[in-house]
Amino acid sequence: MSTDASLAPGTLTTTCCIAGGGPAGMVLGLLLARAGVDVVVLEKHVDFLRDFRGDTIHPSTLQVMDELGLLDDLLKLPHNKVSKVGVQVGNTPVDFADFSWLPPRHAFIALMPQWDFLDFLADKARAYPGFKLIMQAEVVDLIEENGRIVGVKANTPQGPLEVHAPLTVGCDGRRSTVRAKAGLAVEDIGAPIDVLWMRISRLPGDPPTGGRIDTGSFIAVLDRGNYFQIAYVIPKSGIERIKEAGLFAFRQSLGKALPFLAARVDELKTWDDVKLLSVTVDRLRTWYRPGLLCIGDAAHAMSPVGGVGINLAIQDAVAAANILWKPLRDGTLTTFDLAKVQHRRTLPTRITQRLQVLAQNRFAQPVLRSTKPLEVPWLLRLLGRTPLLQRIPARIVGVGVRPEHVQSPALPAVPVR
Ligand SMILES: Cc1cc2nc3c(=O)[nH]c(=O)nc-3n(C[C@H](O)[C@H](O)[C@H](O)COP(=O)(O)OP(=O)(O)OC[C@H]3O[C@@H](n4cnc5c(N)ncnc54)[C@H](O)[C@@H]3O)c2cc1C
C-alpha cells in the first residue's frame, strides 16, 4: 500500500480533493480518476486495517464492480458468499431473504474484510495517472475564500499540507471533520440500540451466517471462514451495565444465546476483545456548500441494520461521479451540480434510514425488552412460508432504492494547470 507521504509537506493543487479514504472516498477517487479528473484522496490512517467495519459487499456494489470490469479480480480475494439469510427465533429457524434470483454474477453478499476491499480499490485507482492517495493526512480544517471552500488543511507526519481544489468532497465518515468545519446542519434521528462486535473461532459443522433472536437477546452471526464475526445488540448506552455485571456474565449470556459457541466464549479474554459501536442515525439537511460536498456516512450516518452502510456510501460515490465528472473536467462546476447529487441521493437515504429506524424501534428494541418466550413475528412467519416473498427483503437490502449505474467514462487524465 502506498503511503505517498513524500508529497507532503507543502501545497498541492488538484481538481477534486477527497477527505477520507473509506468506501465512499475510494470509489469516488477511482471513478473520477478513471474519467480523467485529477484527484487527491487524504486518509488520516497509515493503512486501511480497521476491524469490525462494514464488511458486507452487497449485490449493488458487486454490480458496480462488474460495470467497471473489476468484479472477477475482486472475487479472487478471499471472501464468503451468502445467498440466503435466515434467523432463528427461539428454536424456530426462519429463512427471510433470498438473493439467489438476482443476476447470477451478483446473486449474493460477499463477506470480505473492508481493508482488503479498500486496498483493492486503491490498487486499481493507481492505474490512473490523475489519482493520488496520501495516507496519514488528517484533514483538520477547510480553506475558504469569499464564502467558497477552495481546499483543505491537513496534518501529516512531515508537517502541514494544504490541498487546493475547485471541489472538496467530505467522505470522512460519521464523525466528519469536513461537515463540522463547514457548519452543515445535522438532523439527528437517534437510535435505541448499540452493538458489541467480537470474533470467536468457527469450526466445521457450525451453522451459517444468520440471526439469533430469543428472550432479551438479538445477535447476528457472520461466517468469516475460520471465525465468526458476532454483532451483539444491546440497548443504547447499555455497555456500562453489562461491564458492571462482568465479563464472565457476558460470556455466559453469549454462550446461552449461541449454544454451539458456549465452549469457545472464553476466547473473549478481556473487554478489549469486545468493541462497542455506538449506533448513530443522522443526515445533513444540505449536503453541500459552494466548493464542497459531503457523501457517504459524512452526509448520512447509517445504522448497521441490514449492513447497507458501505453500499449506500458507494452508491453516493457512483451518483456523484456520474453527475460531477464532466463539470469537473471542463472546469464548469457550479453549486447547482452539487445540489443535483443531493437531490439524486436523498430519496434512497431517507427510505433506507426509515426502514432501519422501523427495524430498530419495532423489532430490535421490543426483543431486547422482552421477558417472555418469543413467538415468530407474523411477517417473518409469512416470509418463511413463502420463498417467493423472500426476494423482497433481498431486493431492499441487496440492491436498495434507486440503484446507481456507472455512467462516468474511462478517459485519460487531464493535467492540472
Ligand atoms: C463497527 C461497525 C460495523 C459496521 N458494520 C457494517 C456492515 O456490516 N455493513 C455495512 O455496509 N456497513 C457497516 N457499517 C457502516 C459502514 O462501515 C459505513 O456506513 C461505511 O463504511 C461508510 O463509508 P464512508 O466511506 O462514508 O465512511 P467510513 O467508512 O467511515 O470512511 C471514512 C474514512 O475517512 C477517514 N477519515 C476520517 N476523518 C478523517 C479526516 N479528518 N481526515 C482524513 N481522513 C479521515 C477514516 O479513517 C475512514 O477511512 C459498520 C460501521 C461500524 C463502525
Side-chain angles (χ1 to χ4, degrees), residues 209-279:
T209 292
R212 298 282 185 288
I213 295 169
D214 216 330
T215 316
S217 116
F218 192 136
I219 302 177
V221 188
L222 307 179
D223 169 3
R224 305 304 305 273
N226 57 359
Y227 69 94
F228 282 114
Q229 182 176 336
I230 297 172
Y232 186 101
V233 182
I234 61 170
K236 189 85 199 154
S237 309
I239 183 67
E240 289 314 320
R241 205 172 43 78
I242 290 173
K243 282 194 170 171
E244 269 167 28
L247 189 58
F248 181 74
F250 177 69
R251 285 195 207 124
Q252 272 191 322
S253 73
L254 189 63
K256 191 165 159 246
L258 304 171
F260 63 98
L261 287 182
R264 281 169 260 164
V265 291
D266 54 6
E267 290 175 16
L268 303 173
K269 302 264 181 259
T270 72
W271 284 114
D272 289 343
D273 296 325
V274 180
K275 303 277 184 287
L276 171 70
L277 166 63
S278 177
V279 175

Side-chain angles (χ1 to χ4, degrees), residues 148-194:
R148 184 179 181 86
I149 305 302
V150 294
V152 302
K153 294 183 181 178
N155 287 337
T156 75
Q158 289 74 26
L161 170 70
E162 287 197 1
V163 181
H164 293 254
L167 178 64
T168 295
V169 186
C171 298
D172 50 344
R174 61 206 195 111
R175 295 202 181 87
S176 169
T177 302
V178 169
R179 81 180 189 185
K181 293 285 176 187
L184 295 172
V186 182
E187 196 180 332
D188 188 4
I189 295 155
I193 55 165
D194 286 333

Side-chain angles (χ1 to χ4, degrees), residues 20-25 42-45 50 52-56 114 137-139 171-173 177 197 277 295-297 307-311 313:
L42 302 173
E43 166 54 47
K44 72 175 175 183
H45 286 105
R50 286 181 294 295
F52 304 127
R53 281 298 165 118
D55 291 339
T56 50
Q114 197 180 108
E138 177 170 9
V139 173
C171 298
D172 50 344
T177 302
W197 289 95
L277 166 63
I295 60 168
D297 273 16
V308 292
I310 304 185
N311 303 283

Side-chain angles (χ1 to χ4, degrees), residues 79-96:
H79 65 280
N80 287 320
K81 288 190 173 77
V82 178
S83 49
K84 287 194 177 181
V85 181
V87 61
Q88 187 169 319
V89 183
N91 291 321
T92 314
V94 193
D95 284 340
F96 71 90

